[in-house]
Each structure stands twice: as structure tokens, then as C-alpha cells.
Amino acid sequence: MGTRGNFIPSGGFSEYKYKTLSTLQDNIKMIIYQNDKESSSTPQFSNSPNAIYAVVGKTKRGEYMLKYLGFYDENRMIYKSIDFNHKHNEKIPHLHKWFDADKNLVDGYNLTKEEKIIADRVLKEVKVYNETKIFKI
């Protein structure tokens, strides 16, 4: 499954690269790499159908930051992702549409209203955590 093979198609983690920090409304799971030194990306597959994963990382000051949101279909395969940590076509954040899990994707788009609402909710949760050091679970 390559370097992005963090989940097996039948469900569950094939390698424990991520851990869940929190589960937000609408079953959005906030996850982080187990090893802070690894660079993170959105997993190819989710543990459950129609999931949303918020991938966070740590800054040099030890604060959490939202890096990606991954959206998964009924087969648990990623179909779109939002990137927060770099520009694409001069856009931050920006949306990628996936054609398969091996990152056959289309260039960065602007976010829809619904995607902005989800992104704002997750960004707010990350901010609350950085202020209180408590994730809602």
C-alpha cells in the first residue's frame, strides 16, 4: 500500500502511525502521528465509512495546528482533502479532489461554504485545546 498505507481496506489501522486525540461533532476524528518526527499526511483509508479526519501536528512551541482535513466515502477511501499548511495556487486553505487513494488528485480549489463551516469548527477546537490543554472526547 505504499507509504500512505496507514489503514487496511477491511477496517482498522494496519500500522499504528496515528492516534486519536478527540472525536468532535459529526464524528470528525482529530488524529496525530504517533511519532512527532514523521511528516503527516491524510491517511488513504478511514476506519469507518463516510468519516472525516482532522490531521494535526505540533509546532516548534509545542502547540497543535491543523494540517489537513480528509473526507472519506462509503468504501472508506479518501475522496477530498483540505490542506492548511501550505499554498497551492496561492490559496491557503485549499481543497484537493482525489480520484484514487494514491494521490491522483486535482489542483487546489477554494472551499465551499459547507467545507468552511467544518474547517472553522475544527480550527476552533484546536484553538480551545491550545488554551486549555483539554480535548473533548
Side-chain angles (χ1 to χ4, degrees):
M1 210 183 286
T3 59
R4 295 174 53 78
N6 301 307
F7 299 91
I8 54 176
S10 61
F13 289 93
S14 61
E15 300 172 16
Y16 293 99
K17 290 188 175 185
Y18 292 92
K19 66 179 175 181
T20 301
L21 296 174
S22 178
T23 302
L24 311 177
Q25 291 177 337
D26 301 324
N27 205 29
I28 299 170
K29 286 191 177 182
M30 193 171 305
I31 61 175
I32 190 168
Y33 257 91
Q34 294 276 18
N35 180 350
D36 289 339
K37 296 187 181 11
E38 289 190 58
S39 67
S40 59
S41 60
T42 50
Q44 283 180 307
F45 297 95
S46 67
N47 281 341
S48 56
N50 305 309
I52 301 173
Y53 285 163
V55 181
V56 298
K58 283 189 177 179
T59 66
K60 291 180 182 180
R61 296 185 314 210
E63 294 179 334
Y64 287 97
M65 64 176 199
L66 180 59
K67 297 178 93 174
Y68 308 100
L69 283 175
F71 296 79
Y72 299 85
D73 64 18
E74 62 278 354
N75 297 316
R76 299 181 8 257
M77 185 177 286
I78 192 166
Y79 70 92
K80 68 180 175 180
S81 62
I82 299 172
D83 296 1
F84 293 86
N85 63 340
H86 65 275
K87 285 185 183 180
H88 196 97
N89 294 335
E90 298 302 312
K91 297 176 188 121
I92 295 180
H94 59 272
L95 176 83
H96 289 287
K97 295 180 181 178
W98 296 63
F99 292 108
D100 62 44
D102 289 324
K103 205 158 183 166
N104 242 342
L105 51 82
V106 177
D107 284 346
Y109 291 94
N110 290 322
L111 276 57
T112 65
K113 184 177 179 180
E114 180 182 299
E115 291 159 350
K116 286 179 185 176
I117 290 169
I118 293 169
D120 288 344
R121 187 176 336 141
V122 176
L123 285 165
K124 181 180 176 184
E125 180 66 21
V126 171
K127 181 180 178 185
V128 167
Y129 176 79
N130 284 328
E131 292 169 356
T132 64
K133 303 299 182 213
I134 299 172
F135 272 120
K136 296 179 205 168
I137 295 182

